[in-house]
Amino acid sequence: DIVMTQSPATLSVSPGERATLSCRASQSVSSNLAWYQQKPGQAPRLLIYGASTRATGIPARFSGSGSGTEFTLTISSLQSEDFAVYYCQQYNNWPWTFGQGTKVEMK
Amino acid sequence: QVQLVESGGGLVKPGGSLRLSCAVSGFTFSDYYMSWIRQAPGKGLEWVSDISSSGSTIYYADSVKGRFTISRDNAKNSLYLQMNSLRAEDTAVYYCARVPAAGWYFDLWGRATLVTVSS
């Protein structure tokens, strides 16, 4: 199975600042990488697919980059509603696997 | 509007069974692959099972293979997960999710149903 490793586990950021989240795959997943946001008590929400394509309705402050084994989710200017847990997921090889999550908390 | 609504969760003893359902509305259910994904309390996401649009192709995670059965009824716009021989480690919220044609990620999620396996 492909292991997805996210870093850091927790990211403390002030509103308006930039947040950079990393996701590393144990082997190449090409660009078959998605990012999700999950708030407490809610279902995950798709943010990015294909490593860099924003899902419908996702604000432009969210951007994804990378390919192969190294990926980044950037939130350009954090808004209050962006404090949440973020997961990456590879869909290049079955079984589909998720990272353990990065919690973005208010500094 | 587009909706996925899970039901059927509850408290069950180890070795017991439950059947989860996911009622879908707002899109053409029969056009899409569907999945079940679970999340243990305070933990991350774990993919459980997939089913093709016709139901002819099915995949399971090794952790549930032989114990869980995914199925669907396109006439009823419903997805199911029959869970047998339940273990404490199956305790989680279970989400149904839609798989878009563009790739095996999950573009729509239900609100989940909680399964607790405990004596």
Side-chain angles (χ1 to χ4, degrees), chain A residues 11-20 78 83 104-107:
Chain A
L11 186 62
S12 299
V13 187
S14 299
E17 289 187 340
R18 182 186 194 92
T20 302
L78 264 162
F83 293 100
V104 177
E105 65 175 23
M106 194 176 300
K107 190 173 184 179

Side-chain angles (χ1 to χ4, degrees), chain B residues 37-48:
Chain B
I37 296 152
R38 68 184 180 183
Q39 186 170 33
K43 302 296 185 182
L45 300 164
E46 179 188 15
W47 168 78
V48 172

Side-chain angles (χ1 to χ4, degrees), chain A residues 45-85:
Chain A
R45 177 175 71 145
L46 176 68
L47 297 175
I48 301 284
Y49 62 92
S52 61
T53 302
R54 276 190 303 277
T56 302
I58 301 304
R61 64 181 181 272
F62 291 92
S63 63
S65 63
S67 67
T69 61
E70 300 283 343
F71 300 89
T72 301
L73 175 69
T74 301
I75 311 171
S76 59
S77 177
L78 264 162
Q79 306 298 302
S80 57
E81 61 266 29
D82 300 336
F83 293 100
V85 179

Side-chain angles (χ1 to χ4, degrees), chain B residues 11-13 19 58 78 80-81 86 90 104 113 118:
Chain B
L11 175 63
V12 61
K13 289 181 168 53
R19 189 194 195 209
I58 285 172
S78 292
Y80 306 102
L81 187 68
L86 282 161
D90 296 318
W104 223 296
T113 187
S118 175

Side-chain angles (χ1 to χ4, degrees), chain B residues 74-91:
Chain B
N74 287 343
K76 294 183 177 179
N77 290 338
S78 292
L79 176 71
Y80 306 102
L81 187 68
Q82 177 67 42
M83 304 187 296
N84 298 331
S85 303
L86 282 161
R87 307 167 179 166
E89 55 265 36
D90 296 318
T91 294

Side-chain angles (χ1 to χ4, degrees), chain B residues 29-50:
Chain B
F29 179 65
S30 57
D31 284 350
Y32 290 88
Y33 281 53
M34 297 292 295
S35 296
W36 287 99
I37 296 152
R38 68 184 180 183
Q39 186 170 33
K43 302 296 185 182
L45 300 164
E46 179 188 15
W47 168 78
V48 172
S49 182
D50 291 329

